[in-house]
Amino acid sequence: MTILIKTTDQIDKMRIAGKLAAEVLEMIEEHVVTGITTNQLNQICHDYIVDVQQAIPAPLDYHGFPKSICTSVNQVVCHGIPNDKKLKSGDIINIDITVIKDGYHGDTSKMFYIGKPLPHAQRLIEVTQECLYKAMALVKPGAYLGDFGEVIQQHAEKNHYSVVREYCGHGIGEEFHEDPQILHYGRAGTGEIIREGNIFTIEPMINAGKRQVKLNKRDGWTVETSDRRLSAQWEHTILVTADGYEVLTRRSEESF
Ligand code: MF3
Ligand code: CO
Ligand code: CO
């Protein structure tokens, strides 16, 4: 399998889609407070994407997903469905935004604290972000997909955390999920070699306890840790450039 190489025209459109997805995360920050519900966050993001950005929230109706964003609270690993429960102090939440603009996708997520961060949650969130950044730093033409998996797994396990294996990063472009799968565990020097013009996400899900997860059978979407301990995730959409990488979903708080 060879990973799609985007044309400069496609890359320009991916830059725009990525920037819009990042801007939704920046916009929503001030609303992520005690007492708000994830349905309210969903509505604010939906309206912003549709009315202000004149873009499409990709999750809505994607394989039947019922909302416009994913909101994964505490032990929820990914694909949490916004609901009417109020967020409370001490909660942690991943908000995952994917927009479609001019036919192209931008996909990014970050963690937020409700109220004051609790030390064990803060550590998990920081280490998970480090896992993403360490993998991103290895992105350049000639790198192997396994290089990313190994650095993520090593950093997580060194900190006595575990890596979720059932869900992974992905190529992205005209489709939400394209080849290849980007595993967040593995061995350096294995798997496919990446080339200039490839675009994919890296989105490690790191658990405080055991790596096992379970899918909620009632809603068919929500993925939770089997041991009910916390999970964290960060995601960026990344372009392979001639000598490294460009983060298409970079927020202004980040400098790469
Ligand atoms: N945004 C998720 C990802 O990073 C996918 C969500 S699929 C949905 O790949 F249907 F749950 F929205
Ligand atoms: Co993704
Ligand atoms: Co995502």
Side-chain angles (χ1 to χ4, degrees):
M1 187 207 349
T2 49
I3 311 167
L4 280 181
I5 296 193
K6 264 72 175 176
T7 64
T8 51
D9 185 57
Q10 291 175 311
I11 289 169
D12 287 342
K13 290 176 174 169
M14 289 295 289
R15 273 201 190 93
I16 293 168
K19 177 88 183 135
L20 292 178
E23 285 174 355
V24 178
L25 286 179
E26 294 178 323
M27 177 280 299
I28 201 63
E29 170 117 55
E30 66 174 301
H31 300 284
V32 188
V33 294
T34 307
I36 198 161
T37 69
T38 47
N39 259 342
Q40 289 173 300
L41 295 173
N42 177 72
Q43 191 66 54
I44 296 165
C45 290
H46 177 93
D47 291 347
Y48 189 81
I49 293 166
V50 171
D51 298 335
V52 178
Q53 298 186 329
Q54 305 199 305
I56 298 166
L60 187 60
D61 295 330
Y62 179 77
H63 295 285
F65 191 80
K67 301 281 176 171
S68 297
I69 65 173
C70 295
T71 52
S72 300
V73 179
N74 295 337
Q75 78 281 0
V76 177
V77 172
C78 63
H79 305 165
I81 303 173
N83 61 33
D84 285 322
K85 192 168 164 201
K86 289 187 163 88
L87 295 172
K88 59 179 196 306
S89 186
D91 284 345
I92 60 170
I93 180 173
N94 174 280
I95 300 182
D96 193 338
I97 303 291
T98 313
V99 305
I100 310 171
K101 182 73 173 181
D102 205 5
Y104 289 83
H105 290 73
D107 188 9
T108 185
S109 80
K110 69 171 277 189
M111 298 298 302
F112 299 87
Y113 304 98
I114 311 302
K116 198 168 148 293
L118 297 173
H120 72 291
Q122 184 171 3
R123 217 179 126 260
L124 174 67
I125 286 172
E126 287 175 358
V127 169
T128 303
Q129 187 177 39
E130 287 162 12
C131 285
L132 170 60
Y133 287 175
K134 281 175 183 286
M136 283 165 42
L138 300 179
V139 174
K140 60 167 194 250
Y144 290 84
L145 293 182
D147 300 352
F148 315 140
E150 178 170 300
V151 76
I152 291 167
Q153 184 178 8
Q154 285 205 343
H155 192 57
E157 292 178 356
K158 194 181 79 193
N159 285 280
H160 310 289
Y161 296 143
S162 63
V163 179
V164 172
R165 301 198 177 202
E166 288 80 359
Y167 302 88
C168 54
H170 49 93
I172 181 167
E174 293 183 47
E175 302 291 335
F176 196 159
H177 296 107
E178 299 181 353
D179 285 338
Q181 296 196 346
I182 310 292
L183 304 183
H184 303 119
Y185 61 94
R187 293 282 304 273
T190 66
E192 281 188 81
I193 294 176
I194 60 169
R195 305 279 173 216
E196 182 179 355
N198 292 154
I199 301 181
F200 50 82
T201 73
I202 305 178
E203 48 182 298
M205 285 144 273
I206 305 297
N207 293 350
K210 296 193 171 18
R211 71 171 178 84
Q212 279 74 22
V213 300
K214 57 176 194 288
L215 177 66
N216 182 315
K217 289 200 187 65
R218 269 181 295 281
D219 68 26
W221 282 102
T222 310
V223 179
E224 297 186 74
T225 56
S226 296
D227 61 11
R228 309 280 293 174
R229 293 182 66 187
L230 294 180
S231 186
Q233 180 179 30
W234 295 80
E235 174 177 25
H236 271 310
T237 297
I238 295 151
L239 163 70
V240 184
T241 61
D243 59 356
Y245 63 97
E246 180 181 328
V247 184
L248 302 183
T249 47
R250 188 179 74 80
R251 299 179 300 281
S252 40
E253 74 202 26
E254 295 175 304
S255 51
F256 297 110

